[in-house]
Amino acid sequence: MTLRWEAFLDKVQERGEYDTPEEAERAARVVLALLGAHLVGQVRADLAARLPEAMALILLNPLEAAEPLNPDRFVRATAAWIEGATETTALWDIGAVLSTVADATGDEL
């Protein structure tokens, strides 16, 4: 069963300790867009199927990456996409979003 949009953002907001739902949504959109650009095939489809529809669409319709990003470059790219972010705050955003995604998708993914 997939999480509802509001429940997903509530979890991201709680984990990221964001002051507003808008901050949580911004982090979720950026992290999922970058993640989607680097996932392919069935894994991406399976992950999207377990996310709220709006989040699934972000994951499935990303910019296409020219090359894989290692973890450090993923953090830097996230920081670049979020206005005012640093690598430290981007790492926090990534953790809040991906831990919520992990809970929503289950152990097999």
Side-chain angles (χ1 to χ4, degrees), residues 40-62:
V40 295
Q42 195 60 45
V43 171
R44 189 168 83 169
D46 289 346
L47 180 60
R50 292 185 172 109
L51 295 175
E53 183 179 1
M55 294 299 170
L57 292 173
I58 293 165
L59 185 81
L60 292 171
N61 194 19

Side-chain angles (χ1 to χ4, degrees), residues 18-31:
Y18 301 111
D19 292 330
T20 66
E22 292 78 19
E23 289 176 288
E25 183 176 344
R26 178 205 66 214
R29 286 179 179 279
V30 168
V31 171

Side-chain angles (χ1 to χ4, degrees), residues 30 32-41 44 57-69 73-74 77 81:
V30 168
L32 289 173
L34 283 169
L35 180 64
H38 296 280
L39 293 177
V40 295
R44 189 168 83 169
L57 292 173
I58 293 165
L59 185 81
L60 292 171
N61 194 19
L63 298 171
E64 195 168 318
E67 61 184 282
L69 292 179
R73 289 185 61 213
F74 191 88
W81 279 27

